[in-house]
Amino acid sequence: MTGAFDVRVVHAADIHLDSPLRGLGRLGDEELASRLRLATREAFGNLVRYVIEAEPDALVIAGDIYDGDWRDYSTGVHFVAGMRDLEEAGIPVVMIRGNHDAESVISRSLTLPPNVVELGTAEPQTHVLEDAGIAFHGQGFATRSVTSNLAASYPQPLGGMVNVGLLHTSIQGYEGHDPYAPCSETDLFGRGYDYFALGHIHQRQVGRRQRSAWAFSGNLQGRNPRETGPKGVLDVRLSLDEEPVLEFVELDVARWESVVVDVSDAVDDSELLRTVDAAIGRRREECGSRPVVARLELTGTNPLAGRLADTEWLGAELRPRASRYEVVLERIRSRVVAPDEGRHLAESQRVVLERLIGDLRADPRSLERNVEFWRDLTSVTSEVNRWTRDGGLDLSADATLGDLVERACDRLLARANGGRL
């Protein structure tokens, strides 16, 4: 406890213990792939160690401890072992179930140690830590899909105590996530709690109003290329008199990153490669010693656009260079365009091609239905042939249809904007 702050809680969510990370075979690095398969367990271990060292008044977990039903008991055993470590350190844990670990989803169960309180699913419950002066309010998911506004029926705050809400929710207006337990900022602030610990959204986000705050801590460990950047927990200090103070703590053991490099100023291949090297090196430093898996995107306007359309050449040049920084490039994409005078298609033709490619990206399966149409277009014959075989799609190795379409579309656009068709 520090200064005017009377209460300290660590807020975690979306642990997704033993979540299956898919597509690791595409990395071409079996050692890294093996480590990534254990990443959620290792990150959970980091959480337990951090909480023991920090000695907060409580750890709160706002849902999705698991990633669905356990394949065997080892997943539950691993979580319970961590909770027992916290029990030995004298640290209470308050948690709720999210959509991935709803009562209707998890078919097995293990006994949790007495320091762990799971708030119920039938209605909102309150748990009070008298010695710490904290009242926790929350309700977990009974079923995987909860579409009602749970926050609307949360109880009034208890006087003379710091009040903390736990909720697994999508918050209305947050796109890209299933609308589970939807609510608004007005619903959250209207409860009058000092802090709302939220789960479900994997990107860290904070909202404030006067002396109250709500936050998504984000998930504990990125699990795929869309879950980029630092991941961890929020260390939260609360009192009856001060605004909440939130400190983000990195606990992930591997990092997914998106690296975008503007190569407009590169005059030749060598300078372009040096520019990319420098960008990857900077990102490596930002990520510390943990493994890094990155998606690289080249942007800008450059006469080299046609050269960069050759993704095989680009990969052969850049992947070994990135590996010197212990960075694995999961995908390389060039969106570099040639100056107007270097483009090979008239503007009207390029617009039509971009529209067709946009439709194809939106519905990759349309390629199966329209293979002959694409083959009839002289400018795309080589690319369609590259990704098809005997009239059908080549879905070998770990490549998905969407991956193949994306790669082919990238090459087509880059060539249309300055390369050979």
Side-chain angles (χ1 to χ4, degrees), residues 46 58 94 110 129 143 150 209 294:
N46 286 347
V94 182
L110 290 170
L129 292 178
T143 62
L150 299 181
R209 183 178 296 175

Side-chain angles (χ1 to χ4, degrees), residues 64-90:
D64 282 1
I65 296 160
Y66 306 112
D67 197 59
D69 204 7
W70 316 336
R71 293 199 302 182
D72 54 55
Y73 276 100
S74 67
T75 301
V77 167
H78 193 79
F79 178 73
V80 171
M83 296 300 99
R84 288 196 178 118
D85 289 342
L86 295 178
E87 179 192 20
E88 291 177 4

Side-chain angles (χ1 to χ4, degrees), residues 16-152:
H16 291 278
L17 196 62
D18 287 348
S19 171
L21 279 68
R22 296 180 174 86
L24 297 181
R26 289 186 308 213
L27 299 180
D29 185 330
E30 186 53 41
E31 181 179 349
L32 174 61
S34 296
R35 183 167 183 184
L36 288 175
R37 290 186 183 98
L38 297 174
T40 55
R41 283 203 179 199
E42 291 185 27
F44 175 69
N46 286 347
L47 169 64
V48 172
R49 286 186 288 273
Y50 176 77
V51 171
I52 291 174
E53 181 179 343
E55 297 182 322
D57 293 293
L59 166 67
V60 298
I61 306 177
D64 282 1
I65 296 160
Y66 306 112
D67 197 59
D69 204 7
W70 316 336
R71 293 199 302 182
D72 54 55
Y73 276 100
S74 67
T75 301
V77 167
H78 193 79
F79 178 73
V80 171
M83 296 300 99
R84 288 196 178 118
D85 289 342
L86 295 178
E87 179 192 20
E88 291 177 4
I91 297 171
V93 180
V94 182
M95 67 184 201
I96 57 173
R97 297 189 182 216
N99 55 294
H100 281 276
D101 42 28
E103 286 183 340
S104 61
V105 173
I106 304 297
S107 61
R108 302 173 178 86
S109 64
L110 290 170
T111 302
L112 293 167
N115 65 313
V116 181
V117 172
E118 181 183 319
L119 301 179
T121 61
E123 60 184 6
Q125 290 187 333
T126 297
H127 176 69
V128 176
L129 292 178
E130 293 282 359
D131 292 343
I134 316 174
F136 296 98
H137 314 278
Q139 179 178 352
F141 281 33
T143 62
R144 184 180 180 94
S145 180
V146 174
T147 57
S148 59
N149 184 349
L150 299 181

Side-chain angles (χ1 to χ4, degrees), residues 236-303:
V236 184
R237 295 178 186 268
L238 302 163
S239 80
L240 298 176
D241 307 310
E242 303 286 341
E243 294 182 4
V245 173
L246 283 62
E247 177 187 358
F248 173 65
V249 181
E250 296 181 7
L251 295 177
D252 52 349
V253 298
R255 186 72 53 79
W256 300 91
E257 288 289 342
S258 174
V259 182
V260 180
V261 185
D262 189 331
V263 296
S264 296
D265 296 332
V267 299
D268 55 27
D269 289 354
S270 296
E271 186 171 349
L272 183 143
L273 294 173
R274 286 195 298 271
T275 300
V276 176
D277 268 358
I280 291 174
R282 287 192 297 271
R283 190 57 55 89
R284 165 78 277 170
E285 291 180 6
E286 294 168 2
C287 294
S289 60
R290 57 179 59 79
V292 177
V293 182
R295 285 186 167 181
L296 176 67
E297 180 175 309
L298 307 184
T299 65
T301 300
N302 194 301

Side-chain angles (χ1 to χ4, degrees), residues 224 276 393:
N224 60 59
V276 176
L393 293 173

